[in-house]
Amino acid sequence: MSLPLPSPAFQTAPDTAVAHERRRGRGTVSNASGRFEPYARTIEDDGWDNLADLPPFKTEVSLETARTAITRNQSPDIAFDRSINPYRGCEHGCVYCFARPTHAFLGLSPGLDFESKLTAKPNIADLLRRELAAPSYRPRTIALGTNTDPYQPIERTHRLTRKILEVLEETRHPVGIVTKSALVLRDIDILARMAADGLAKVAISITTLDPQLARDMEPRAPTPARRLETVRTLVAAGVPVTVLTAPIIPSLNDHEIDRLLEAAHASGATEAGYVLLRLPHEIKDLVREWLLERHPGKMRRILSLVQDTRGGKLYDSGWGKRQTGEGPVAWTIGRRFELAARRLKLDRRHLRLRTDLFVPPPRTARGGQASDDQLSLF
């Protein structure tokens, strides 16, 4: 089938591009307004070369009083039904991050704002404790890192993920973590104890083994070598580890599938998974701009192959195919991953964590005092 190639707009420099010096160390090229904004904002030089005076993008963290800790979903193609995200935005700056469009709901750009204007939820652990204490609560594995990385750099200061794990360990509640950060090793004490009881597992995302490509795509995330070392350290502590080769980008990193899985196996991972590149909403423009700057010679081919995996479009959100795509290109990628995973015995069924050890925390009133039910026990 002959598919339409990307329009000429894909071959021109974006009007919204931000000067390189201002975005040094960041993932995306621009900071265009989100899709819900009534006006598009652009920065133009007035002839006095005043753009050179604009400051670089620095990380800013706002505090948010969250209303709930656990987010629920009913998506049939996702292996979990509940998750916790202690942060909005992510300083790792991965250009392909599927969570970027969520920043538009805050009136911010999914571009550079997403990786520099972050939000932390300092009351998240207290909320979690209250929700786990509800009489109607039934335990199932809680996923950490489903939207933004729970171990992104600001976790060193805010320690919200650590506080969440402390609550989950206390209540003996199962947790699965997805991260690309070596900072997860800071909490290896908790994770090792929980894993010994079948209550914890970790998935490490490794997109490429090429350090330069990793730096370009994921500028503030650890190097591929550091992530493999993290896998080895977790495994040595008894924590089950899955390696996610995500996202697979046709004609950019798909040739690394076998080597990625071999490195994962050599590091001790027991499972592996992959996700095909997803380009919903603003991400398609952000990735197009990034390809134009970093890989201009491959841009047309990559986008054309993405269209081939998405029924002629750049994205299809349909359940069951948004993760893996469809068509001959997607089939070839899937079979290559499947054969390599089977050869290395990384295709085992997903490890099920225990829920029968759960101990609800004492119920508390909203002010933090023990409830009448709890007081009546003494």
Short mmCIF file of all heavy atoms in Angstrom, two decimals, residues 269-291:
data_model
loop_
_atom_site.label_atom_id
_atom_site.label_comp_id
_atom_site.label_asym_id
_atom_site.label_seq_id
_atom_site.Cartn_x
_atom_site.Cartn_y
_atom_site.Cartn_z
N ALA A 269 18.04 -9.54 34.14
CA ALA A 269 16.60 -9.34 33.98
C ALA A 269 15.92 -10.67 33.65
O ALA A 269 16.50 -11.52 32.98
CB ALA A 269 16.32 -8.32 32.87
N THR A 270 14.70 -10.84 34.13
CA THR A 270 13.98 -12.10 33.90
C THR A 270 12.80 -11.93 32.96
O THR A 270 12.21 -12.93 32.53
CB THR A 270 13.46 -12.67 35.24
OG1 THR A 270 12.71 -11.66 35.93
CG2 THR A 270 14.63 -13.12 36.12
N GLU A 271 12.42 -10.71 32.65
CA GLU A 271 11.35 -10.44 31.71
C GLU A 271 11.73 -9.25 30.84
O GLU A 271 12.62 -8.47 31.20
CB GLU A 271 10.04 -10.13 32.43
CG GLU A 271 9.48 -11.25 33.29
CD GLU A 271 8.16 -10.86 33.94
OE1 GLU A 271 7.39 -10.11 33.31
OE2 GLU A 271 7.90 -11.32 35.07
N ALA A 272 11.05 -9.11 29.71
CA ALA A 272 11.29 -7.97 28.83
C ALA A 272 9.99 -7.60 28.12
O ALA A 272 9.12 -8.45 27.91
CB ALA A 272 12.38 -8.28 27.80
N GLY A 273 9.88 -6.33 27.77
CA GLY A 273 8.70 -5.86 27.04
C GLY A 273 9.10 -4.72 26.13
O GLY A 273 10.22 -4.19 26.22
N TYR A 274 8.21 -4.36 25.23
CA TYR A 274 8.48 -3.23 24.34
C TYR A 274 7.19 -2.47 24.06
O TYR A 274 6.08 -3.00 24.22
CB TYR A 274 9.11 -3.70 23.02
CG TYR A 274 8.13 -4.20 21.98
CD1 TYR A 274 7.69 -3.37 20.95
CD2 TYR A 274 7.63 -5.50 22.04
CE1 TYR A 274 6.79 -3.83 19.99
CE2 TYR A 274 6.74 -5.97 21.09
CZ TYR A 274 6.31 -5.13 20.07
OH TYR A 274 5.40 -5.58 19.14
N VAL A 275 7.35 -1.22 23.63
CA VAL A 275 6.24 -0.38 23.19
C VAL A 275 6.69 0.34 21.93
O VAL A 275 7.81 0.87 21.89
CB VAL A 275 5.81 0.64 24.27
CG1 VAL A 275 4.70 1.54 23.74
CG2 VAL A 275 5.36 -0.06 25.55
N LEU A 276 5.86 0.33 20.92
CA LEU A 276 6.16 1.05 19.69
C LEU A 276 5.97 2.55 19.92
O LEU A 276 5.12 2.95 20.74
CB LEU A 276 5.25 0.57 18.57
CG LEU A 276 5.63 0.93 17.13
CD1 LEU A 276 6.94 0.26 16.75
CD2 LEU A 276 4.53 0.50 16.17
N LEU A 277 6.73 3.36 19.24
CA LEU A 277 6.62 4.81 19.38
C LEU A 277 5.18 5.28 19.25
O LEU A 277 4.47 4.92 18.31
CB LEU A 277 7.47 5.51 18.32
CG LEU A 277 7.40 7.05 18.30
CD1 LEU A 277 8.04 7.63 19.56
CD2 LEU A 277 8.09 7.59 17.05
N ARG A 278 4.74 6.09 20.22
CA ARG A 278 3.39 6.65 20.20
C ARG A 278 3.49 8.17 20.02
O ARG A 278 4.30 8.83 20.68
CB ARG A 278 2.68 6.33 21.52
CG ARG A 278 2.50 4.84 21.76
CD ARG A 278 2.09 4.54 23.18
NE ARG A 278 0.87 5.23 23.57
CZ ARG A 278 0.32 5.16 24.79
NH1 ARG A 278 0.90 4.44 25.73
NH2 ARG A 278 -0.79 5.81 25.07
N LEU A 279 2.65 8.73 19.14
CA LEU A 279 2.72 10.17 18.83
C LEU A 279 1.36 10.85 18.99
O LEU A 279 0.86 11.48 18.05
CB LEU A 279 3.25 10.37 17.40
CG LEU A 279 4.67 9.88 17.11
CD1 LEU A 279 5.00 10.07 15.64
CD2 LEU A 279 5.68 10.60 17.98
N PRO A 280 0.74 10.77 20.15
CA PRO A 280 -0.54 11.46 20.32
C PRO A 280 -0.38 12.97 20.47
O PRO A 280 0.64 13.46 20.96
CB PRO A 280 -1.08 10.85 21.62
CG PRO A 280 0.14 10.49 22.39
CD PRO A 280 1.14 10.05 21.36
N HIS A 281 -1.39 13.70 20.03
CA HIS A 281 -1.50 15.14 20.24
C HIS A 281 -0.21 15.88 19.87
O HIS A 281 0.32 15.72 18.79
CB HIS A 281 -1.94 15.43 21.67
CG HIS A 281 -3.22 14.77 22.05
ND1 HIS A 281 -4.40 15.03 21.40
CD2 HIS A 281 -3.51 13.86 23.02
CE1 HIS A 281 -5.37 14.31 21.94
NE2 HIS A 281 -4.86 13.58 22.92
N GLU A 282 0.34 16.67 20.81
CA GLU A 282 1.48 17.52 20.51
C GLU A 282 2.78 16.75 20.28
O GLU A 282 3.73 17.30 19.72
CB GLU A 282 1.71 18.52 21.65
CG GLU A 282 0.61 19.56 21.83
CD GLU A 282 -0.48 19.12 22.80
OE1 GLU A 282 -0.50 17.91 23.16
OE2 GLU A 282 -1.30 19.95 23.18
N ILE A 283 2.84 15.49 20.68
CA ILE A 283 4.11 14.76 20.57
C ILE A 283 4.54 14.61 19.12
O ILE A 283 5.73 14.62 18.81
CB ILE A 283 4.01 13.38 21.24
CG1 ILE A 283 3.60 13.52 22.70
CG2 ILE A 283 5.35 12.65 21.17
CD1 ILE A 283 3.46 12.21 23.43
N LYS A 284 3.60 14.46 18.22
CA LYS A 284 3.99 14.28 16.82
C LYS A 284 4.79 15.47 16.31
O LYS A 284 5.75 15.30 15.55
CB LYS A 284 2.75 14.03 15.94
CG LYS A 284 1.75 15.15 15.88
CD LYS A 284 0.57 14.76 14.99
CE LYS A 284 -0.44 15.89 14.86
NZ LYS A 284 -1.03 16.27 16.16
N ASP A 285 4.41 16.69 16.72
CA ASP A 285 5.16 17.87 16.29
C ASP A 285 6.50 17.98 17.02
O ASP A 285 7.51 18.37 16.42
CB ASP A 285 4.33 19.13 16.55
CG ASP A 285 3.08 19.19 15.68
OD1 ASP A 285 3.17 18.80 14.50
OD2 ASP A 285 2.03 19.62 16.17
N LEU A 286 6.52 17.63 18.30
CA LEU A 286 7.76 17.70 19.06
C LEU A 286 8.79 16.71 18.51
O LEU A 286 9.97 17.05 18.38
CB LEU A 286 7.48 17.41 20.53
CG LEU A 286 6.62 18.45 21.25
CD1 LEU A 286 6.24 17.95 22.65
CD2 LEU A 286 7.35 19.78 21.35
N VAL A 287 8.35 15.50 18.19
CA VAL A 287 9.28 14.51 17.63
C VAL A 287 9.71 14.91 16.22
O VAL A 287 10.88 14.75 15.85
CB VAL A 287 8.63 13.11 17.64
CG1 VAL A 287 9.45 12.12 16.82
CG2 VAL A 287 8.49 12.60 19.07
N ARG A 288 8.80 15.45 15.46
CA ARG A 288 9.16 15.91 14.10
C ARG A 288 10.23 17.00 14.18
O ARG A 288 11.23 16.96 13.44
CB ARG A 288 7.91 16.44 13.40
CG ARG A 288 8.12 16.95 11.98
CD ARG A 288 8.28 18.46 11.89
NE ARG A 288 7.14 19.17 12.44
CZ ARG A 288 7.05 20.49 12.48
NH1 ARG A 288 8.03 21.23 12.01
NH2 ARG A 288 6.01 21.08 13.00
N GLU A 289 10.07 17.96 15.09
CA GLU A 289 11.06 19.02 15.24
C GLU A 289 12.42 18.46 15.68
O GLU A 289 13.47 18.88 15.21
CB GLU A 289 10.57 20.05 16.27
CG GLU A 289 9.35 20.83 15.83
CD GLU A 289 8.69 21.57 16.96
OE1 GLU A 289 9.14 21.44 18.12
OE2 GLU A 289 7.69 22.29 16.71
N TRP A 290 12.36 17.50 16.59
CA TRP A 290 13.59 16.89 17.09
C TRP A 290 14.32 16.13 15.99
O TRP A 290 15.54 16.23 15.84
CB TRP A 290 13.25 15.96 18.26
CG TRP A 290 14.42 15.25 18.83
CD1 TRP A 290 15.31 15.74 19.76
CD2 TRP A 290 14.85 13.91 18.54
NE1 TRP A 290 16.26 14.79 20.06
CE2 TRP A 290 16.00 13.66 19.33
CE3 TRP A 290 14.36 12.91 17.72
CZ2 TRP A 290 16.67 12.44 19.28
CZ3 TRP A 290 15.03 11.70 17.67
CH2 TRP A 290 16.17 11.47 18.45
N LEU A 291 13.56 15.38 15.19
CA LEU A 291 14.16 14.64 14.08
C LEU A 291 14.77 15.60 13.06
O LEU A 291 15.85 15.34 12.52
CB LEU A 291 13.12 13.76 13.41
CG LEU A 291 12.69 12.51 14.16
CD1 LEU A 291 11.49 11.86 13.48
CD2 LEU A 291 13.84 11.51 14.26
#
